[in-house]
């Protein structure tokens, strides 16, 4: 275990990352689509008598008792639009354009699971687990953005989220079949764990706990780690700026131009599921990937995720629920 002083030095001034901090989101150009959706979508009236049936389903299927509390919060807004948002944006935090103070709220797109007709709401029971999954994701997002250190500063969350991300990322690189380089998987595990800690979570690049964790996950010895650091030393200042600079660093480390950002993102979505791309850069998005796999809601390729990082994914989500039960 690391001392409290070492952990604090590693964290620095931890801040939550949002979609505006994502390279991939900036490239997508869908910011206006989100704002328009929030403005035009019907807001579910949770005081409507017909909503009690939906509330019952959440109570019956919830995986932690805090989800009913989440459902009943005024700053959790369920939206029904004419068309659903992309799968990558089902649960998100945004300033409410209808609020005079533009207060931040968590919006959940329930267009495909809740029907609103004749001033009444209904939901097929089979969609209950999807709403539960969205609420668990919302709980994680709420805590992460209000008190980021409480969530990602939690040792168990950090341990298992790093291991799960590193394993899944290394699996993607394995699938691209890059040959001619020794210890490809171990090097990818090391770099992915390092990238996750620094770029995604916000730990200091050369902190002891970050490097020790990456070494342990990869299984590399000190000599091989020194070789890695030497080969990418000229990229050191910018290698964790975003997913694009990280992939370019790996391209140099693995000596292949085959490893492009498009190749990584496309293979990630192909193997883990449509709409999972922001999990390459944002904690909340990767956590949602794991949450959806944990609940068995079939919102992504949960069987692949379970096969590659099942134990880590389970412990990660259990840790999120524990933080939630202590916080909500």
């Amino acid at each position: 275990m690391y001392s409290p002083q070492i952990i604090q030095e590693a964290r620095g001034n931890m801040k939550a990352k949002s979609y505006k901090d994502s390279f991939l989101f900036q490239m997508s150009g869908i910011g206006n689509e989100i704002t328009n959706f929030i403005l035009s979508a019907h807001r579910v009236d949770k005081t409507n008598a017909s909503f009690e049936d939906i509330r019952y389903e959440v109570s019956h299927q919830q995986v932690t008792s805090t989800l009913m509390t989440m459902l009943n919060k005024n700053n959790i807004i369920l939206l029904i639009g004419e068309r659903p948002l992309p799968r990558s944006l089902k649960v998100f935090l945004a300033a409410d354009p209808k609020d005079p103070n533009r207060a931040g709220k968590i919006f959940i797109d329930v267009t495909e699971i809740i029907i609103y007709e004749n001033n009444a709401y209904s939901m097929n029971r089979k969609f209950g687990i999807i709403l539960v999954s969205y609420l668990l994701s919302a709980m994680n997002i709420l805590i992460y953005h209000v008190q980021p250190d409480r969530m990602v500063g939690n040792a168990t969350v950090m341990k298992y989220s790093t291991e799960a991300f590193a394993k899944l990322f290394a699996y993607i690189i394995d699938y691209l079949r890059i040959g001619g380089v020794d210890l490809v998987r171990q090097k990818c595990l090391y770099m992915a764990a390092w990238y996750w800690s620094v770029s995604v979570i916000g730990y200091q690049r050369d902190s002891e706990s970050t490097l020790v964790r990456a070494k342990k996950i990869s299984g590399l010895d000190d000599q091989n780690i020194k070789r890695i650091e030497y080969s990418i030393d000229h990229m050191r200042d910018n290698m964790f700026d975003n997913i694009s600079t990280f992939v370019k660093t790996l391209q140099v480390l693995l000596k292949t131009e085959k490893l492009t950002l498009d190749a990584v993102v496309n293979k990630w979505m192909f193997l883990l599921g449509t709409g999972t791309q922001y999990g390459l850069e944002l904690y909340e998005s990767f956590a949602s990937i794991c949450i959806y796999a944990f609940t068995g809601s079939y919102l992504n390729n949960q069987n692949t995720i379970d096969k590659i990082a099942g134990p880590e994914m389970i412990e990660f989500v259990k840790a999120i629920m524990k933080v939630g039960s202590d916080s909500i």
Side-chain angles (χ1 to χ4, degrees), residues 197-228:
S197 298
V198 177
S199 182
V200 179
I201 302 300
Y203 275 54
Q204 294 179 12
R205 187 185 62 193
D206 297 316
S207 70
E208 180 182 350
S209 61
T210 296
L211 296 174
V212 168
R213 185 183 297 112
K215 177 183 177 182
K216 183 177 180 180
I217 290 171
S218 70
L220 290 171
D221 58 28
D222 290 338
Q223 186 176 15
N224 279 303
I225 289 172
K226 287 180 180 178
R227 287 173 180 165
I228 290 174

Side-chain angles (χ1 to χ4, degrees), residues 51-215:
F51 192 75
E52 287 305 310
D53 289 340
I54 295 172
R55 190 173 276 112
Y56 170 80
E57 285 302 328
V58 171
S59 175
H60 181 67
Q61 299 190 43
Q62 65 180 341
V63 292
T64 173
S65 59
T66 55
L67 299 189
M68 277 299 292
T69 303
M70 289 299 301
L71 180 63
N72 293 329
K73 281 183 173 293
N74 292 330
N75 59 353
I76 304 296
I77 311 297
L78 309 183
L79 298 175
I80 301 174
E82 289 187 10
R83 292 182 301 173
L85 282 171
R87 192 174 294 186
S88 57
L89 295 166
K90 290 302 185 185
V91 187
F92 58 92
L93 173 72
D96 186 354
K98 290 188 175 182
D99 188 311
N101 299 317
R102 292 187 63 81
K105 296 176 183 176
I106 294 179
F107 296 93
I108 303 178
D109 176 14
V110 296
T111 305
E112 297 171 297
I113 63 174
I114 294 180
I115 296 172
Y116 179 60
E117 289 180 343
N118 302 320
N119 196 36
Y121 299 102
S122 62
M123 181 182 71
N124 191 305
R125 291 190 63 185
K126 69 180 182 181
F127 294 139
I129 192 60
I130 295 178
L131 183 54
V132 162
S133 301
Y134 289 164
L135 288 168
L136 183 52
S137 179
M139 183 192 76
N140 173 67
I141 292 170
L142 177 64
I143 298 170
Y144 173 61
H145 281 276
V146 173
Q147 294 180 289
D149 191 67
R150 189 173 184 85
M151 183 58 77
V152 293
N154 178 281
T156 307
V157 168
M158 192 62 198
K159 169 181 168 59
Y160 289 110
S161 66
T162 308
E163 292 177 3
F165 180 84
K167 282 192 170 186
L168 289 170
F169 189 87
Y171 176 68
I172 303 306
I173 305 305
D174 282 345
Y175 217 88
L176 291 173
R177 305 198 183 286
I178 296 169
V181 180
D182 292 335
L183 303 171
V184 170
R185 184 171 187 276
Q186 292 90 331
K187 288 175 180 177
C188 287
L189 285 169
Y190 181 83
M191 292 299 295
W194 196 6
Y195 163 82
W196 172 264
S197 298
V198 177
S199 182
V200 179
I201 302 300
Y203 275 54
Q204 294 179 12
R205 187 185 62 193
D206 297 316
S207 70
E208 180 182 350
S209 61
T210 296
L211 296 174
V212 168
R213 185 183 297 112
K215 177 183 177 182

